Amino acid sequence: MSTSTAIEPLAGPLTGELRVPGDKSISHRSVLFAAMAQGTSNVEGVLDSADVRSSLAAVRALGAEVDIAEQPDGSLAGSITGWGKRGPAQPEEPIDCGNSGTTVRLLMGVLAPWDITVQLTGDESLQRRPMARITKPLTSMGAMFAPAGKNTLPLTEQGTRALQPLTYQSPVASAQLKTAVLLAGVFAEGTTTVCEPAPSRNHTELMLPAFGVETVCKPGKAQVSGPQTLQAAKVRVPGDPSSSAFPACAAVLMPNSSITITNVSLNPGRIGYVKVLQAMGAQVELQPTGFEGQEPVGNIHARFSPNLRCCEVAAEDIASMVDEIPILALVAAFAAGETVFNGVSELRVKESDRLEAIIGGLEQLGVHAWSQGDDLHVAGQPGLRVPQGLTFDSQKDHRLAMTWAVAGMVGGATVNIKDFESVCISYPTFSRDLRSLVQ
């Protein structure tokens, strides 16, 4: 049953420092890689969210020993003892991945090299998301999925210890697809290569060496050689750049605001949204401070920017900001001119059809937005005022819930959001964190 939450406007500008929760993509990988490894790994700064808890539950069901606890800062930390060379255990029940596409798609690669049979399922939303992009290359390596040819969950996977290496030309730039194939390839006899039409997130290639697995990591190409066994490691998860986009954009739109978001991953494949904001004339700056493992980290400074202008985003850049398109579209609604996001078809197969949801939400604000083929167009309105009493349907999509919340917070109007609690998927303390910056 859906519930509606009233989001009140901010009482003043946003000022000060903020630390966003741990990166969701890196958190998933830290959990899954530790479970695959020989020995006991220590993890810190892991995002405490519904999605990451789905990964934790999955590796427990597969035989990993998980000793993880919530920390005073709201993150998760502790140890995970993996199954290593013996492989994952046969689970007694289907593995429910909740709403987490990352959990289920990466698990398919984790399970492929082992002779166990596992049914994978998820919630109603996840059961609508496409899985053939993952099952196709894994089937070519020797894994089997039933029912054969089915594109959605639930699916039953039968792995094999005779997994074959693969050179795969991916039709899409997808870090989940790439990671699933590479994780399977770690255990195959020979070299497994994934080539992409555009660079996707490279967290897997950066993290695997910490677990003793060398990778080839080039733009649009990733490679591993097997068979190998992951070895236990220590991982400290930096802040999530996708989560940072929402307070950063709120500061850009809220008069007199100036904030610093600290200890965020500045991985080039994750901060495309900053370049788009800068192209719009927003006052957003990056300050590198060092590395967590091989992940570059630093601070993001964002200030109120009253003279925003339109820009055009190239299709080959979308992979570096795909989760931030909803909030960037909202910023574009306040900018002068027509902003175009090219090649955003991937938005149609996220937790919701984000493309149509963005268009519908902006139209509620009185902003003309439309799709043309795979492109999103937003005709901005400088000085836009948000009408009072609007109700937005988040469609249980955390990125949409936060986007429409920002619209109300900076627009001076109370808005209602259906299923606002979906923010728990990636940023449970989102509303509280933003309001803590109001002096």
Side-chain angles (χ1 to χ4, degrees):
M1 181 177 180
S2 294
T3 59
S4 185
T5 301
I7 304 296
E8 302 289 338
L10 297 174
L14 301 169
T15 58
E17 291 190 353
L18 172 68
R19 182 164 181 172
V20 295
D23 185 273
K24 186 156 74 81
S25 296
I26 298 174
S27 293
H28 279 298
R29 286 160 176 78
S30 70
V31 169
L32 293 169
F33 294 7
M36 297 167 66
Q38 189 76 33
T40 300
S41 298
N42 293 302
V43 295
E44 300 176 16
V46 174
L47 171 66
D48 187 2
S49 75
D51 272 17
V52 175
R53 285 186 178 270
S54 290
S55 285
L56 286 165
V59 299
R60 281 193 184 98
L62 291 166
E65 298 177 18
V66 180
D67 184 12
I68 296 287
E70 185 174 346
Q71 304 302 300
D73 65 358
S75 68
L76 298 174
S79 65
I80 298 174
T81 301
W83 50 72
K85 293 181 180 179
R86 75 173 185 272
Q90 174 68 51
E92 297 179 359
E93 299 177 346
I95 292 181
D96 186 344
C97 299
N99 188 246
S100 180
T102 302
T103 301
V104 69
R105 288 172 174 151
L106 269 58
L107 266 184
M108 288 178 176
V110 171
L111 297 171
W114 305 102
D115 53 0
I116 59 175
T117 302
V118 182
Q119 185 181 61
L120 299 168
T121 189
D123 67 10
E124 182 181 356
S125 170
L126 190 59
Q127 289 187 33
R128 294 195 299 267
R129 298 177 69 178
M131 297 295 152
R133 60 176 59 176
I134 312 295
T135 61
K136 180 179 178 181
L138 294 179
T139 298
S140 296
M141 298 177 79
M144 293 187 293
F145 294 86
K150 189 169 184 280
N151 187 32
T152 55
L153 299 178
L155 287 168
T156 297
E157 180 174 5
Q158 171 66 60
T160 174
R161 290 180 183 264
L163 207 68
Q164 298 299 306
L166 177 71
T167 296
Y168 189 65
Q169 297 287 339
S170 175
V172 295
S174 166
Q176 293 176 355
L177 184 159
K178 175 175 61 177
T179 299
V181 175
L182 290 178
L183 293 182
V186 167
F187 297 90
E189 185 78 45
T191 299
T192 293
T193 304
V194 180
C195 299
E196 301 180 289
S200 66
R201 298 177 182 182
N202 64 351
H203 301 303
T204 294
E205 299 95 299
L206 294 180
M207 188 182 292
L208 277 177
F211 286 86
V213 177
E214 292 304 315
T215 64
V216 172
C217 178
K218 298 179 180 179
K221 180 180 179 180
Q223 191 175 79
V224 296
S225 295
Q228 300 186 62
T229 300
L230 279 70
Q231 302 298 320
K234 182 175 182 178
V235 179
R236 183 179 291 112
V237 180
D240 193 321
S242 294
S243 293
S244 77
F246 296 89
C249 290
V252 165
L253 296 174
M254 187 69 187
N256 302 315
S257 293
S258 179
I259 67 171
T260 299
I261 307 167
T262 63
N263 194 44
V264 181
S265 168
L266 300 185
N267 186 306
R270 297 293 306 282
I271 54 173
Y273 87 85
V274 173
K275 295 180 181 179
V276 172
L277 290 176
Q278 291 171 338
M280 289 181 174
Q283 299 181 68
V284 183
E285 302 170 357
L286 302 177
Q287 180 189 29
T289 59
F291 290 83
E292 293 287 1
Q294 296 189 50
E295 290 282 345
V297 298
N299 304 328
I300 299 175
H301 303 282
R303 295 183 292 279
F304 172 58
S305 307
N307 299 309
L308 297 170
R309 58 181 179 269
C310 63
C311 72
E312 184 166 0
V313 183
E316 58 265 27
D317 294 331
I318 293 298
S320 69
M321 66 189 81
V322 65
D323 286 331
E324 295 78 69
I325 298 297
I327 191 65
L328 289 173
L330 179 65
V331 175
F334 288 83
E338 181 183 317
T339 295
V340 182
F341 300 91
N342 289 291
V344 295
S345 59
E346 188 70 10
L347 293 179
R348 297 188 185 278
V349 293
K350 288 293 189 177
E351 285 85 338
S352 64
D353 183 341
R354 284 184 185 163
L355 183 55
E356 290 305 314
I358 290 167
I359 292 169
L362 293 181
E363 288 179 345
Q364 286 184 259
L365 295 172
V367 175
H368 184 39
W370 67 99
S371 61
Q372 187 171 318
D374 289 336
D375 306 334
L376 170 64
H377 297 250
V378 180
Q381 295 183 25
L384 174 68
R385 297 293 297 175
V386 175
Q388 289 283 351
L390 293 179
T391 296
F392 294 97
D393 186 353
S394 75
Q395 301 185 37
K396 298 183 179 180
D397 186 322
H398 51 133
R399 309 296 184 192
L400 295 175
M402 289 187 283
T403 295
W404 306 133
V406 169
M409 287 177 174
V410 306
T414 299
V415 300
N416 298 293
I417 301 177
K418 292 181 181 178
D419 297 310
F420 178 72
E421 61 274 11
S422 63
V423 299
C424 292
I425 290 171
S426 63
Y427 196 165
T429 58
F430 165 72
S431 182
R432 184 184 71 197
D433 283 1
L434 257 66
R435 296 190 188 281
S436 74
L437 295 172
V438 178
Q439 304 299 316

